[in-house]
Amino acid sequence: MADLKLGTGAAEARATHDSLVEATARQDREAFATLFNFFAPRVKSYLLRLNADDALAEEIAQEVMLTVWRKASQFDRSQASASTWIFRIARNKRIDVARRLSKPALEPGEPALLPPDLQAPDEAAHASARDVRVHAALKGLPEEQLRLLQLAFFDGLSHSEIAERLGMPLGTVKSRLRLAFDKLRKHFSVEDL
Amino acid sequence: MAQKRDQTAAMTHQSLGDEIFSAYAAGTLSAPMQLLLDTQSRFDSEVALGRSQADAVAGLMLETAPPAAMGEDALAQVLAVIDAEEAGAGEAGPRDAASGDEKGRKAARLASKALDELLSLPVPVRDMALESGANWQFAGPGVRVMELIRQGAAKAELIRLEPGHGVPRHSHDCKEFTLVLCGAFHDGLARYGKGDLSVADPEIEHRPVAEPGEVCIALAVTDGPLAFTGPLGWVQRALGGMN
């Protein structure tokens, strides 16, 4: 499971990632390489978690990072932190690949099948500052709630699948997730939109 | 629609529930349900907030995930692709929506009558409708439908009702979500205006009829109660090459 108990410096690291994406937008290859070395293995880890085989996970992680290079100029740290932005690219790429593989009859480039890649510019603001608050809130959660959030938000398990995996009653999973999510919710506001 | 007349007005503005946001973030929602959520977030700031919250949580999870070793040449390969692209010898180039957009808009121009109407729809739906060529199909007097996405049993389509017209009475094999994009309809149980979401259970028979005076366009999505297939579903079968 992800180590959310990051030590100090997480906020600084985050700001650094944001700056690296901005440098990448200026075609800075060293910045891109640094981003690649940090995020590619984590994107791969995300894909492996979802049962992709190693070769495919590696390939998609590379595609994701290539998209990061190509679309870096669209990154806006006031809308999303680098990790959230890259996660969205990874998620959309994965959905895209899955659709390509599961519906071979369709043209892979069929625009209607491509999920909206990026959040519209008016959708979020001050995201980095918010992520710092949310990260702090995550760190304050009991281990079990963190684990539940991870299974739901990152591993993509439904509530009943989580209940089954942990041998926990469904109602308990739902109420604890609710509790954890509500704690995080306090750190978001409509002004973030 | 699932609501009865005597239930509160809030029922006509149904929430999709918490679970849908984690499924959205993790990428396990079916494409039609993802479209529904994206579109609903244009009308409902709570939904928009839930969605961006879920993304932020997932982003933090990514940041703190244990790394999985990449191949030695992984970065070099990607840099080689970038070099090739910049040398103008690029392979296919970025496969983003730009060219398809243009194609879609051209096709849409042919359906110029419907164009203004489509242009007023919220972005994710509008773009999909344009990209699919604004291909309305006759579905009865005063009723047209346009399929946007089909994925297994899950389906997203636009339904367009002329004032006073309605879709024939029907029930469903699975849950049906209907989000009103413009105009309003009444299904004999409740009224649904712009931004309202109706959720119809399989056993409910209903007959939505557009209110007089204005065309009603709605996004109709059919899927299971929670429309994601989970980690053993199609995404993983496809990714993992199982079955």
Side-chain angles (χ1 to χ4, degrees), chain A residues 14 27 29 41 44-45 50 58 62 70 83 87-88 91 94 96 103 123 158-159 161 178 185, chain B residues 18-19 25-26 51 53 55 63 66 68-69 71 74 77 83 85-86 95 150 228 231 235-236:
Chain A
R14 192 161 304 114
Q27 318 273 302
R29 291 189 185 212
K44 183 175 174 182
S45 155
L50 294 153
E58 174 123 352
Q62 286 176 301
R70 287 167 177 163
S83 58
F87 178 81
R88 277 194 202 118
R91 173 187 62 208
R94 181 169 71 85
D96 183 22
K103 301 199 90 183
E123 280 191 358
S158 70
H159 292 177
E161 285 164 340
R178 187 72 213 234
R185 190 165 282 172
Chain B
D18 280 352
E19 199 171 4
R51 202 180 55 146
Q53 211 173 359
D55 271 356
E63 207 172 283
Q77 287 166 355
D83 282 339
E85 272 176 16
E86 293 193 344
R95 195 166 49 71
R150 181 186 288 273
F228 53 89
V235 170
Q236 283 66 35

mmCIF file of all heavy atoms in Angstrom, chain A residues 14 27 29 41 44-45 50 58 62 70 83 87-88 91 94 96 103 123 158-159 161 178 185, chain B residues 18-19 25-26 51 53 55 63 66 68-69 71 74 77 83 85-86 95 150 228 231 235-236:
data_model
loop_
_atom_site.group_PDB
_atom_site.id
_atom_site.type_symbol
_atom_site.label_atom_id
_atom_site.label_comp_id
_atom_site.label_asym_id
_atom_site.label_seq_id
_atom_site.Cartn_x
_atom_site.Cartn_y
_atom_site.Cartn_z
ATOM 1 N N ARG A 14 6.082 18.579 -3.545
ATOM 2 C CA ARG A 14 4.958 18.802 -4.442
ATOM 3 C C ARG A 14 5.187 20.058 -5.292
ATOM 4 O O ARG A 14 4.962 20.059 -6.493
ATOM 5 C CB ARG A 14 3.665 18.924 -3.630
ATOM 6 C CG ARG A 14 2.426 18.867 -4.475
ATOM 7 C CD ARG A 14 1.218 18.519 -3.646
ATOM 8 N NE ARG A 14 1.417 17.260 -2.932
ATOM 9 C CZ ARG A 14 1.495 17.164 -1.615
ATOM 10 N NH1 ARG A 14 1.384 18.211 -0.861
ATOM 11 N NH2 ARG A 14 1.677 15.987 -1.065
ATOM 12 N N GLN A 27 10.305 22.769 -22.628
ATOM 13 C CA GLN A 27 11.157 21.795 -23.326
ATOM 14 C C GLN A 27 12.435 21.449 -22.553
ATOM 15 O O GLN A 27 13.427 21.065 -23.152
ATOM 16 C CB GLN A 27 11.560 22.306 -24.712
ATOM 17 C CG GLN A 27 10.440 22.970 -25.479
ATOM 18 C CD GLN A 27 9.615 21.994 -26.264
ATOM 19 O OE1 GLN A 27 10.121 21.273 -27.113
ATOM 20 N NE2 GLN A 27 8.335 21.904 -25.945
ATOM 21 N N ARG A 29 14.553 19.112 -20.906
ATOM 22 C CA ARG A 29 14.603 17.649 -20.860
ATOM 23 C C ARG A 29 15.104 17.106 -19.530
ATOM 24 O O ARG A 29 14.753 16.009 -19.131
ATOM 25 C CB ARG A 29 15.470 17.106 -21.988
ATOM 26 C CG ARG A 29 14.786 17.343 -23.300
ATOM 27 C CD ARG A 29 15.455 16.665 -24.443
ATOM 28 N NE ARG A 29 14.749 17.082 -25.639
ATOM 29 C CZ ARG A 29 14.595 16.331 -26.700
ATOM 30 N NH1 ARG A 29 15.120 15.128 -26.728
ATOM 31 N NH2 ARG A 29 13.931 16.767 -27.733
ATOM 32 N N PRO A 41 7.715 5.145 -12.487
ATOM 33 C CA PRO A 41 7.606 3.915 -11.670
ATOM 34 C C PRO A 41 6.336 3.880 -10.820
ATOM 35 O O PRO A 41 5.836 2.810 -10.496
ATOM 36 C CB PRO A 41 8.840 3.990 -10.750
ATOM 37 C CG PRO A 41 9.775 4.950 -11.403
ATOM 38 C CD PRO A 41 8.911 5.933 -12.141
ATOM 39 N N LYS A 44 3.453 3.076 -13.171
ATOM 40 C CA LYS A 44 3.545 1.641 -13.451
ATOM 41 C C LYS A 44 2.980 0.835 -12.285
ATOM 42 O O LYS A 44 2.249 -0.136 -12.476
ATOM 43 C CB LYS A 44 5.001 1.248 -13.721
ATOM 44 C CG LYS A 44 5.154 -0.215 -14.098
ATOM 45 C CD LYS A 44 6.588 -0.546 -14.490
ATOM 46 C CE LYS A 44 6.746 -2.037 -14.708
ATOM 47 N NZ LYS A 44 8.131 -2.402 -15.053
ATOM 48 N N SER A 45 3.312 1.269 -11.098
ATOM 49 C CA SER A 45 2.831 0.585 -9.900
ATOM 50 C C SER A 45 1.298 0.632 -9.828
ATOM 51 O O SER A 45 0.630 -0.354 -9.497
ATOM 52 C CB SER A 45 3.489 1.230 -8.687
ATOM 53 O OG SER A 45 2.750 1.087 -7.515
ATOM 54 N N LEU A 50 -3.667 -2.934 -10.856
ATOM 55 C CA LEU A 50 -4.905 -3.264 -11.543
ATOM 56 C C LEU A 50 -4.715 -4.436 -12.494
ATOM 57 O O LEU A 50 -5.442 -4.579 -13.473
ATOM 58 C CB LEU A 50 -5.410 -2.028 -12.288
ATOM 59 C CG LEU A 50 -5.814 -0.906 -11.328
ATOM 60 C CD1 LEU A 50 -5.681 0.449 -11.963
ATOM 61 C CD2 LEU A 50 -7.220 -1.114 -10.803
ATOM 62 N N GLU A 58 4.439 -1.094 -18.231
ATOM 63 C CA GLU A 58 5.612 -0.283 -18.575
ATOM 64 C C GLU A 58 5.325 0.588 -19.793
ATOM 65 O O GLU A 58 5.650 1.771 -19.835
ATOM 66 C CB GLU A 58 6.803 -1.211 -18.843
ATOM 67 C CG GLU A 58 8.027 -0.488 -19.347
ATOM 68 C CD GLU A 58 9.245 -0.718 -18.470
ATOM 69 O OE1 GLU A 58 9.110 -1.315 -17.387
ATOM 70 O OE2 GLU A 58 10.326 -0.274 -18.874
ATOM 71 N N GLN A 62 5.071 4.663 -20.033
ATOM 72 C CA GLN A 62 5.848 5.465 -20.983
ATOM 73 C C GLN A 62 4.945 6.397 -21.785
ATOM 74 O O GLN A 62 5.271 7.565 -21.998
ATOM 75 C CB GLN A 62 6.620 4.549 -21.946
ATOM 76 C CG GLN A 62 7.823 3.879 -21.304
ATOM 77 C CD GLN A 62 8.512 2.914 -22.258
ATOM 78 O OE1 GLN A 62 7.885 1.972 -22.737
ATOM 79 N NE2 GLN A 62 9.775 3.153 -22.537
ATOM 80 N N ARG A 70 4.067 16.196 -23.941
ATOM 81 C CA ARG A 70 3.312 16.884 -25.005
ATOM 82 C C ARG A 70 2.338 17.919 -24.456
ATOM 83 O O ARG A 70 2.077 18.927 -25.095
ATOM 84 C CB ARG A 70 2.513 15.871 -25.819
ATOM 85 C CG ARG A 70 3.356 15.012 -26.733
ATOM 86 C CD ARG A 70 2.510 13.861 -27.237
ATOM 87 N NE ARG A 70 3.238 13.019 -28.184
ATOM 88 C CZ ARG A 70 2.856 11.799 -28.518
ATOM 89 N NH1 ARG A 70 1.768 11.275 -27.977
ATOM 90 N NH2 ARG A 70 3.557 11.106 -29.378
ATOM 91 N N SER A 83 0.850 15.782 -9.309
ATOM 92 C CA SER A 83 0.484 14.370 -9.123
ATOM 93 C C SER A 83 -0.960 14.116 -9.533
ATOM 94 O O SER A 83 -1.269 13.095 -10.148
ATOM 95 C CB SER A 83 0.732 13.935 -7.677
ATOM 96 O OG SER A 83 0.003 14.733 -6.776
ATOM 97 N N PHE A 87 -1.947 11.806 -12.545
ATOM 98 C CA PHE A 87 -2.866 10.691 -12.272
ATOM 99 C C PHE A 87 -4.013 10.680 -13.274
ATOM 100 O O PHE A 87 -4.392 9.639 -13.792
ATOM 101 C CB PHE A 87 -3.427 10.756 -10.849
ATOM 102 C CG PHE A 87 -4.409 9.642 -10.578
ATOM 103 C CD1 PHE A 87 -3.959 8.371 -10.252
ATOM 104 C CD2 PHE A 87 -5.776 9.837 -10.721
ATOM 105 C CE1 PHE A 87 -4.855 7.330 -10.056
ATOM 106 C CE2 PHE A 87 -6.678 8.806 -10.524
ATOM 107 C CZ PHE A 87 -6.214 7.547 -10.194
ATOM 108 N N ARG A 88 -4.563 11.870 -13.551
ATOM 109 C CA ARG A 88 -5.677 11.942 -14.513
ATOM 110 C C ARG A 88 -5.254 11.439 -15.880
ATOM 111 O O ARG A 88 -5.995 10.728 -16.550
ATOM 112 C CB ARG A 88 -6.158 13.381 -14.671
ATOM 113 C CG ARG A 88 -7.109 13.788 -13.601
ATOM 114 C CD ARG A 88 -7.806 15.085 -14.021
ATOM 115 N NE ARG A 88 -8.283 15.729 -12.827
ATOM 116 C CZ ARG A 88 -7.884 16.930 -12.420
ATOM 117 N NH1 ARG A 88 -7.037 17.636 -13.139
ATOM 118 N NH2 ARG A 88 -8.348 17.417 -11.310
ATOM 119 N N ARG A 91 -5.022 7.655 -15.621
ATOM 120 C CA ARG A 91 -6.347 7.027 -15.585
ATOM 121 C C ARG A 91 -6.983 7.032 -16.976
ATOM 122 O O ARG A 91 -7.496 6.025 -17.446
ATOM 123 C CB ARG A 91 -7.245 7.781 -14.609
ATOM 124 C CG ARG A 91 -8.686 7.278 -14.654
ATOM 125 C CD ARG A 91 -9.605 8.129 -13.818
ATOM 126 N NE ARG A 91 -9.651 9.499 -14.303
ATOM 127 C CZ ARG A 91 -9.904 10.539 -13.532
ATOM 128 N NH1 ARG A 91 -10.097 10.390 -12.240
ATOM 129 N NH2 ARG A 91 -9.941 11.748 -14.042
ATOM 130 N N ARG A 94 -5.332 4.612 -19.290
ATOM 131 C CA ARG A 94 -5.694 3.229 -18.975
ATOM 132 C C ARG A 94 -7.077 2.897 -19.536
ATOM 133 O O ARG A 94 -7.303 1.840 -20.115
ATOM 134 C CB ARG A 94 -5.693 3.023 -17.464
ATOM 135 C CG ARG A 94 -6.024 1.615 -17.036
ATOM 136 C CD ARG A 94 -5.742 1.433 -15.573
ATOM 137 N NE ARG A 94 -6.703 2.144 -14.744
ATOM 138 C CZ ARG A 94 -7.875 1.653 -14.388
ATOM 139 N NH1 ARG A 94 -8.233 0.455 -14.786
ATOM 140 N NH2 ARG A 94 -8.694 2.345 -13.628
ATOM 141 N N ASP A 96 -8.513 4.382 -21.967
ATOM 142 C CA ASP A 96 -8.347 4.413 -23.411
ATOM 143 C C ASP A 96 -7.810 3.076 -23.922
ATOM 144 O O ASP A 96 -8.333 2.485 -24.868
ATOM 145 C CB ASP A 96 -7.380 5.568 -23.725
ATOM 146 C CG ASP A 96 -7.171 5.777 -25.204
ATOM 147 O OD1 ASP A 96 -8.050 5.351 -25.982
ATOM 148 O OD2 ASP A 96 -6.145 6.362 -25.580
ATOM 149 N N LYS A 103 -12.664 -3.400 -27.403
ATOM 150 C CA LYS A 103 -13.575 -3.150 -28.519
ATOM 151 C C LYS A 103 -12.779 -2.986 -29.801
ATOM 152 O O LYS A 103 -12.692 -1.895 -30.348
ATOM 153 C CB LYS A 103 -14.411 -1.898 -28.258
ATOM 154 C CG LYS A 103 -15.232 -1.991 -26.994
ATOM 155 C CD LYS A 103 -16.350 -0.996 -27.024
ATOM 156 C CE LYS A 103 -17.590 -1.599 -27.657
ATOM 157 N NZ LYS A 103 -18.686 -0.643 -27.780
ATOM 158 N N GLU A 123 -12.605 24.690 -13.689
ATOM 159 C CA GLU A 123 -13.132 23.743 -12.717
ATOM 160 C C GLU A 123 -12.472 23.755 -11.345
ATOM 161 O O GLU A 123 -13.075 23.383 -10.368
ATOM 162 C CB GLU A 123 -13.082 22.327 -13.281
ATOM 163 C CG GLU A 123 -14.252 22.095 -14.207
ATOM 164 C CD GLU A 123 -14.392 20.649 -14.587
ATOM 165 O OE1 GLU A 123 -13.542 19.843 -14.152
ATOM 166 O OE2 GLU A 123 -15.328 20.328 -15.299
ATOM 167 N N SER A 158 -14.925 -1.733 -5.405
ATOM 168 C CA SER A 158 -16.235 -1.283 -4.945
ATOM 169 C C SER A 158 -16.338 -1.569 -3.449
ATOM 170 O O SER A 158 -15.535 -2.331 -2.895
ATOM 171 C CB SER A 158 -17.347 -1.999 -5.701
ATOM 172 O OG SER A 158 -17.389 -3.350 -5.300
ATOM 173 N N HIS A 159 -17.334 -0.979 -2.820
ATOM 174 C CA HIS A 159 -17.486 -1.195 -1.379
ATOM 175 C C HIS A 159 -17.661 -2.673 -1.042
ATOM 176 O O HIS A 159 -17.100 -3.166 -0.066
ATOM 177 C CB HIS A 159 -18.682 -0.384 -0.851
ATOM 178 C CG HIS A 159 -18.442 1.100 -0.895
ATOM 179 N ND1 HIS A 159 -19.383 2.030 -0.529
ATOM 180 C CD2 HIS A 159 -17.353 1.823 -1.272
ATOM 181 C CE1 HIS A 159 -18.886 3.255 -0.670
ATOM 182 N NE2 HIS A 159 -17.671 3.145 -1.131
ATOM 183 N N GLU A 161 -16.584 -5.202 -2.736
ATOM 184 C CA GLU A 161 -15.311 -5.915 -2.952
ATOM 185 C C GLU A 161 -14.346 -5.673 -1.787
ATOM 186 O O GLU A 161 -13.598 -6.572 -1.382
ATOM 187 C CB GLU A 161 -14.671 -5.461 -4.268
ATOM 188 C CG GLU A 161 -15.366 -6.039 -5.485
ATOM 189 C CD GLU A 161 -15.009 -5.316 -6.785
ATOM 190 O OE1 GLU A 161 -14.534 -4.154 -6.728
ATOM 191 O OE2 GLU A 161 -15.218 -5.900 -7.849
ATOM 192 N N ARG A 178 -17.152 6.612 4.666
ATOM 193 C CA ARG A 178 -17.915 7.854 4.766
ATOM 194 C C ARG A 178 -17.237 8.817 5.743
ATOM 195 O O ARG A 178 -17.057 9.993 5.490
ATOM 196 C CB ARG A 178 -19.333 7.511 5.244
ATOM 197 C CG ARG A 178 -20.298 8.657 5.256
ATOM 198 C CD ARG A 178 -20.642 8.985 3.840
ATOM 199 N NE ARG A 178 -20.890 10.399 3.654
ATOM 200 C CZ ARG A 178 -21.993 10.885 3.115
ATOM 201 N NH1 ARG A 178 -22.925 10.064 2.708
ATOM 202 N NH2 ARG A 178 -22.145 12.171 2.978
ATOM 203 N N ARG A 185 -13.349 16.012 3.276
ATOM 204 C CA ARG A 185 -14.261 16.962 2.633
ATOM 205 C C ARG A 185 -14.154 18.349 3.258
ATOM 206 O O ARG A 185 -14.312 19.344 2.596
ATOM 207 C CB ARG A 185 -15.683 16.415 2.746
ATOM 208 C CG ARG A 185 -16.705 17.148 1.950
ATOM 209 C CD ARG A 185 -17.973 16.337 1.844
ATOM 210 N NE ARG A 185 -17.853 15.272 0.849
ATOM 211 C CZ ARG A 185 -18.766 14.318 0.673
ATOM 212 N NH1 ARG A 185 -19.825 14.268 1.438
ATOM 213 N NH2 ARG A 185 -18.615 13.411 -0.261
ATOM 214 N N ASP B 18 -21.640 8.375 -2.785
ATOM 215 C CA ASP B 18 -20.195 8.524 -2.595
ATOM 216 C C ASP B 18 -19.365 7.567 -3.445
ATOM 217 O O ASP B 18 -18.304 7.901 -3.932
ATOM 218 C CB ASP B 18 -19.832 8.198 -1.134
ATOM 219 C CG ASP B 18 -20.121 9.371 -0.230
ATOM 220 O OD1 ASP B 18 -20.445 10.448 -0.745
ATOM 221 O OD2 ASP B 18 -20.033 9.178 0.994
ATOM 222 N N GLU B 19 -19.877 6.367 -3.561
ATOM 223 C CA GLU B 19 -19.062 5.307 -4.153
ATOM 224 C C GLU B 19 -18.681 5.649 -5.587
ATOM 225 O O GLU B 19 -17.623 5.257 -6.078
ATOM 226 C CB GLU B 19 -19.836 3.977 -4.108
ATOM 227 C CG GLU B 19 -18.943 2.764 -4.272
ATOM 228 C CD GLU B 19 -19.688 1.467 -4.006
ATOM 229 O OE1 GLU B 19 -20.918 1.521 -3.778
ATOM 230 O OE2 GLU B 19 -19.043 0.412 -4.041
ATOM 231 N N ALA B 25 -12.523 8.232 -9.689
ATOM 232 C CA ALA B 25 -11.099 8.521 -9.523
ATOM 233 C C ALA B 25 -10.251 7.324 -9.944
ATOM 234 O O ALA B 25 -9.271 7.474 -10.660
ATOM 235 C CB ALA B 25 -10.793 8.892 -8.080
ATOM 236 N N ALA B 26 -10.660 6.155 -9.517
ATOM 237 C CA ALA B 26 -9.853 4.976 -9.794
ATOM 238 C C ALA B 26 -9.943 4.569 -11.265
ATOM 239 O O ALA B 26 -9.141 3.786 -11.745
ATOM 240 C CB ALA B 26 -10.293 3.824 -8.890
ATOM 241 N N ARG B 51 -16.007 15.229 -7.368
ATOM 242 C CA ARG B 51 -15.158 14.705 -8.420
ATOM 243 C C ARG B 51 -13.728 15.210 -8.274
ATOM 244 O O ARG B 51 -12.770 14.445 -8.373
ATOM 245 C CB ARG B 51 -15.746 15.150 -9.762
ATOM 246 C CG ARG B 51 -15.346 14.318 -10.924
ATOM 247 C CD ARG B 51 -15.985 14.843 -12.176
ATOM 248 N NE ARG B 51 -15.668 16.245 -12.367
ATOM 249 C CZ ARG B 51 -15.504 16.817 -13.559
ATOM 250 N NH1 ARG B 51 -15.651 16.099 -14.637
ATOM 251 N NH2 ARG B 51 -15.224 18.090 -13.656
ATOM 252 N N GLN B 53 -12.375 16.368 -5.614
ATOM 253 C CA GLN B 53 -11.878 15.818 -4.351
ATOM 254 C C GLN B 53 -11.314 14.407 -4.569
ATOM 255 O O GLN B 53 -10.228 14.071 -4.121
ATOM 256 C CB GLN B 53 -13.078 15.707 -3.426
ATOM 257 C CG GLN B 53 -12.823 15.879 -1.993
ATOM 258 C CD GLN B 53 -14.145 15.924 -1.224
ATOM 259 O OE1 GLN B 53 -15.233 15.851 -1.799
ATOM 260 N NE2 GLN B 53 -14.047 16.019 0.065
ATOM 261 N N ASP B 55 -10.258 13.109 -7.318
ATOM 262 C CA ASP B 55 -9.040 13.169 -8.120
ATOM 263 C C ASP B 55 -7.836 13.563 -7.281
ATOM 264 O O ASP B 55 -6.745 13.033 -7.448
ATOM 265 C CB ASP B 55 -9.211 14.189 -9.251
ATOM 266 C CG ASP B 55 -9.790 13.553 -10.501
ATOM 267 O OD1 ASP B 55 -9.970 12.322 -10.504
ATOM 268 O OD2 ASP B 55 -10.059 14.288 -11.468
ATOM 269 N N GLU B 63 1.318 9.815 -5.773
ATOM 270 C CA GLU B 63 2.565 10.393 -5.313
ATOM 271 C C GLU B 63 3.257 9.514 -4.270
ATOM 272 O O GLU B 63 4.472 9.454 -4.200
ATOM 273 C CB GLU B 63 2.210 11.739 -4.676
ATOM 274 C CG GLU B 63 3.259 12.773 -4.683
ATOM 275 C CD GLU B 63 2.631 14.078 -4.200
ATOM 276 O OE1 GLU B 63 1.917 14.737 -4.973
ATOM 277 O OE2 GLU B 63 2.841 14.396 -3.023
ATOM 278 N N PRO B 66 4.304 3.009 -3.827
ATOM 279 C CA PRO B 66 5.641 2.432 -3.930
ATOM 280 C C PRO B 66 6.013 2.299 -5.406
ATOM 281 O O PRO B 66 5.207 1.822 -6.190
ATOM 282 C CB PRO B 66 5.482 1.054 -3.286
ATOM 283 C CG PRO B 66 4.023 0.748 -3.375
ATOM 284 C CD PRO B 66 3.301 2.048 -3.364
ATOM 285 N N ALA B 68 7.454 1.030 -8.955
ATOM 286 C CA ALA B 68 7.753 -0.257 -9.588
ATOM 287 C C ALA B 68 8.846 0.005 -10.615
ATOM 288 O O ALA B 68 8.720 0.920 -11.432
ATOM 289 C CB ALA B 68 6.503 -0.810 -10.270
ATOM 290 N N ALA B 69 9.901 -0.773 -10.570
ATOM 291 C CA ALA B 69 11.070 -0.495 -11.409
ATOM 292 C C ALA B 69 10.707 -0.482 -12.888
ATOM 293 O O ALA B 69 9.996 -1.347 -13.374
ATOM 294 C CB ALA B 69 12.152 -1.547 -11.147
ATOM 295 N N GLY B 71 12.077 -0.410 -16.926
ATOM 296 C CA GLY B 71 13.209 -0.951 -17.668
ATOM 297 C C GLY B 71 14.305 0.094 -17.799
ATOM 298 O O GLY B 71 14.039 1.291 -17.739
ATOM 299 N N ALA B 74 13.767 2.693 -20.482
ATOM 300 C CA ALA B 74 12.432 3.276 -20.582
ATOM 301 C C ALA B 74 12.470 4.771 -20.898
ATOM 302 O O ALA B 74 11.789 5.235 -21.816
ATOM 303 C CB ALA B 74 11.651 3.015 -19.297
ATOM 304 N N GLN B 77 13.899 5.499 -24.400
ATOM 305 C CA GLN B 77 12.929 5.228 -25.470
ATOM 306 C C GLN B 77 11.958 6.388 -25.645
ATOM 307 O O GLN B 77 11.642 6.789 -26.766
ATOM 308 C CB GLN B 77 12.149 3.939 -25.161
ATOM 309 C CG GLN B 77 12.970 2.674 -25.339
ATOM 310 C CD GLN B 77 12.302 1.454 -24.701
ATOM 311 O OE1 GLN B 77 11.262 1.565 -24.041
ATOM 312 N NE2 GLN B 77 12.903 0.281 -24.883
ATOM 313 N N ASP B 83 12.466 13.038 -29.651
ATOM 314 C CA ASP B 83 13.429 13.498 -30.664
ATOM 315 C C ASP B 83 12.854 13.349 -32.059
ATOM 316 O O ASP B 83 12.925 14.262 -32.878
ATOM 317 C CB ASP B 83 14.725 12.670 -30.573
ATOM 318 C CG ASP B 83 15.596 13.126 -29.415
ATOM 319 O OD1 ASP B 83 15.409 14.276 -28.965
ATOM 320 O OD2 ASP B 83 16.440 12.336 -28.964
ATOM 321 N N GLU B 85 9.793 13.121 -32.995
ATOM 322 C CA GLU B 85 8.692 14.047 -33.247
ATOM 323 C C GLU B 85 9.192 15.438 -33.553
ATOM 324 O O GLU B 85 8.686 16.128 -34.433
ATOM 325 C CB GLU B 85 7.783 14.134 -32.015
ATOM 326 C CG GLU B 85 6.705 13.091 -32.021
ATOM 327 C CD GLU B 85 5.877 13.141 -30.747
ATOM 328 O OE1 GLU B 85 5.937 14.146 -30.017
ATOM 329 O OE2 GLU B 85 5.185 12.149 -30.486
ATOM 330 N N GLU B 86 10.212 15.839 -32.784
ATOM 331 C CA GLU B 86 10.680 17.203 -32.961
ATOM 332 C C GLU B 86 11.463 17.358 -34.239
ATOM 333 O O GLU B 86 11.549 18.457 -34.797
ATOM 334 C CB GLU B 86 11.505 17.619 -31.741
ATOM 335 C CG GLU B 86 10.582 17.682 -30.555
ATOM 336 C CD GLU B 86 11.179 18.376 -29.363
ATOM 337 O OE1 GLU B 86 12.410 18.551 -29.316
ATOM 338 O OE2 GLU B 86 10.399 18.731 -28.465
ATOM 339 N N ARG B 95 -2.012 11.835 -30.396
ATOM 340 C CA ARG B 95 -3.336 11.388 -30.833
ATOM 341 C C ARG B 95 -4.374 12.101 -29.977
ATOM 342 O O ARG B 95 -5.136 11.487 -29.255
ATOM 343 C CB ARG B 95 -3.440 9.881 -30.665
ATOM 344 C CG ARG B 95 -4.613 9.277 -31.416
ATOM 345 C CD ARG B 95 -4.457 7.771 -31.490
ATOM 346 N NE ARG B 95 -4.163 7.173 -30.209
ATOM 347 C CZ ARG B 95 -5.033 7.076 -29.236
ATOM 348 N NH1 ARG B 95 -6.230 7.539 -29.381
ATOM 349 N NH2 ARG B 95 -4.694 6.506 -28.098
ATOM 350 N N ARG B 150 -21.423 3.231 -26.333
ATOM 351 C CA ARG B 150 -21.945 1.937 -25.912
ATOM 352 C C ARG B 150 -20.755 1.105 -25.452
ATOM 353 O O ARG B 150 -19.726 1.049 -26.109
ATOM 354 C CB ARG B 150 -22.657 1.239 -27.073
ATOM 355 C CG ARG B 150 -23.250 -0.099 -26.703
ATOM 356 C CD ARG B 150 -23.793 -0.781 -27.929
ATOM 357 N NE ARG B 150 -25.015 -0.135 -28.421
ATOM 358 C CZ ARG B 150 -26.238 -0.455 -27.969
ATOM 359 N NH1 ARG B 150 -26.393 -1.370 -27.045
ATOM 360 N NH2 ARG B 150 -27.300 0.150 -28.471
ATOM 361 N N PHE B 228 -19.714 0.552 -12.296
ATOM 362 C CA PHE B 228 -18.346 0.163 -12.600
ATOM 363 C C PHE B 228 -18.238 -1.346 -12.462
ATOM 364 O O PHE B 228 -19.049 -1.989 -11.810
ATOM 365 C CB PHE B 228 -17.348 0.860 -11.689
ATOM 366 C CG PHE B 228 -17.640 0.698 -10.249
ATOM 367 C CD1 PHE B 228 -17.136 -0.368 -9.549
ATOM 368 C CD2 PHE B 228 -18.445 1.622 -9.595
ATOM 369 C CE1 PHE B 228 -17.406 -0.511 -8.220
ATOM 370 C CE2 PHE B 228 -18.726 1.483 -8.271
ATOM 371 C CZ PHE B 228 -18.211 0.410 -7.572
ATOM 372 N N PRO B 231 -12.311 -4.335 -10.193
ATOM 373 C CA PRO B 231 -10.970 -4.691 -10.658
ATOM 374 C C PRO B 231 -10.928 -6.015 -11.409
ATOM 375 O O PRO B 231 -9.935 -6.334 -12.033
ATOM 376 C CB PRO B 231 -10.142 -4.753 -9.386
ATOM 377 C CG PRO B 231 -11.118 -4.887 -8.295
ATOM 378 C CD PRO B 231 -12.407 -4.287 -8.753
ATOM 379 N N VAL B 235 -11.873 -3.781 -17.566
ATOM 380 C CA VAL B 235 -10.601 -3.068 -17.627
ATOM 381 C C VAL B 235 -9.446 -4.035 -17.419
ATOM 382 O O VAL B 235 -8.473 -4.067 -18.167
ATOM 383 C CB VAL B 235 -10.546 -1.950 -16.554
ATOM 384 C CG1 VAL B 235 -9.142 -1.379 -16.471
ATOM 385 C CG2 VAL B 235 -11.550 -0.855 -16.884
ATOM 386 N N GLN B 236 -9.599 -4.846 -16.380
ATOM 387 C CA GLN B 236 -8.511 -5.766 -16.063
ATOM 388 C C GLN B 236 -8.419 -6.903 -17.072
ATOM 389 O O GLN B 236 -7.345 -7.342 -17.408
ATOM 390 C CB GLN B 236 -8.695 -6.331 -14.659
ATOM 391 C CG GLN B 236 -8.305 -5.335 -13.598
ATOM 392 C CD GLN B 236 -9.231 -4.145 -13.592
ATOM 393 O OE1 GLN B 236 -10.432 -4.271 -13.841
ATOM 394 N NE2 GLN B 236 -8.689 -2.979 -13.331
#
